[in-house]
Amino acid sequence: MFEGFKTEQVQTGEASVFVRHGGEGPPALLLHGHPRTSATWHRVAPLLVERGFTVVCPDLRGYGRSRGPAPTADHSGHSKRAVAGDMVAVMRSLGHARFALAGHDRGGAVALRLALDHPHAVSRAAFIDCLPVTEHLSRITAEFATQWWHWFFFAQPDVPDRVINADPDSWYPGDPRSMGQENYDEWREATRNPDVVRAMLEDYRAGLTVDRHHEEADRAGGTRVRCPALILWSLRDDLEELYGDPLEIWRRWAPDARGHGIDSGHHVAEEAPDALAASLGDFFGG
């Protein structure tokens, strides 16, 4: 994977962030979702390098080979604000003060916070198969609660840690053929690490508490994504089924938003890398 890319461990103060980076040209930061690592981009990143971009793929705080502070009662150490700060520090350490950005799933929540908190650092932002946390919570239905029950299970104290760590391979099923063997091996090693599992759960605990409060403050204060935004969603997942057109929701947060669905399941970077890289490359190059 990632032939020609360099790897580094970047210290950001509170966290130690593992990052892959390669290519030459305008910088693009790619943020993975749960429960993946930066390796999820192994098919997309080389395609963007071929299109003339410098591509940066970090493990989010606590995921994969990145580490953050010990969990706290208010979950602020794993808030999207804290993780977004990591990403700005990583990009600055690599010499990139301003960059394009894409986030998938939980990485999309980090991308939103980064674009809202650091607008001068982000030239363009793509959000893949995700919505702001508060938009999900304001639309809770029986269907949402049934299909997305893990959000509320993960937010419970202690119990999910014990359940998942008792048999992580069963809890996190994966297919090395569809993921790619090296991606699968890296991800499997991470999901078997209790410290990684705890951090991933803290990500969700922060989502329903401190992250939600931050988004509510943004809505009340009229804070919006200032840069052009690309909204992409999986046609074979449930985002459109649950909410209708995701663009209508995202335009509340990003007035200059455009986008479309991609024929894929949820893990778009692994299942439809050509289509995703084409959409991102066209958007970042625009």
Side-chain angles (χ1 to χ4, degrees), residues 117-136:
D117 285 359
H118 306 276
H120 298 296
V122 181
S123 58
R124 290 176 171 251
F127 304 97
I128 306 163
D129 227 28
C130 60
L131 292 177
V133 170
T134 50
E135 297 293 348
H136 285 292

Side-chain angles (χ1 to χ4, degrees), residues 61 76-88 109-110 113-114 116-118 206 210-211 213-215 217-218 223:
R61 176 181 291 204
S76 60
H78 292 80
S79 70
K80 306 307 169 290
R81 176 158 287 160
V83 182
D86 287 343
M87 299 301 102
V88 171
V110 176
R113 178 50 48 200
L114 205 164
L116 293 173
D117 285 359
H118 306 276
V210 60
D211 295 335
H213 298 321
H214 290 160
E215 286 189 10
D218 292 327
T223 307

Side-chain angles (χ1 to χ4, degrees), residues 10 12 17-19 29 56 58 85-96:
V10 178
T12 67
V17 178
F18 174 78
V19 59
L29 174 65
V56 180
D86 287 343
M87 299 301 102
V88 171
V90 165
M91 294 303 278
R92 287 177 177 166
S93 77
L94 298 176
H96 310 307

Side-chain angles (χ1 to χ4, degrees), residues 144-223:
F144 175 87
T146 300
Q147 296 177 53
W148 293 55
W149 62 273
H150 62 282
W151 273 33
F152 310 102
F153 176 63
F154 288 172
Q156 302 305 309
D158 301 324
V159 172
D161 309 61
R162 296 199 303 271
V163 171
I164 295 171
N165 286 322
D167 190 358
D169 289 12
S170 294
W171 186 267
Y172 292 120
D175 181 359
R177 292 170 298 180
S178 63
M179 294 176 65
Q181 187 67 53
E182 291 177 271
N183 176 30
Y184 174 87
D185 291 344
E186 179 175 312
W187 162 80
R188 179 58 74 203
E189 181 180 359
T191 59
R192 290 172 175 171
N193 184 331
D195 291 336
V196 172
V197 170
R198 181 66 185 274
M200 293 194 295
L201 294 173
E202 283 297 307
D203 175 2
Y204 281 83
R205 291 163 181 154
L208 297 186
T209 55
V210 60
D211 295 335
R212 171 171 61 87
H213 298 321
H214 290 160
E215 286 189 10
E216 289 170 346
D218 292 327
R219 287 293 298 273
T223 307

Side-chain angles (χ1 to χ4, degrees), residues 235-265:
L235 295 176
R236 289 186 266 124
D237 202 20
D238 59 0
L239 197 67
E240 193 170 11
E241 175 186 331
L242 286 170
Y243 306 123
D245 184 0
L247 267 175
E248 293 185 9
I249 300 171
W250 270 106
R251 284 182 177 136
R252 299 170 175 230
W253 295 85
D256 186 6
R258 75 296 307 266
H260 58 270
I262 291 180
D263 184 16
S264 174

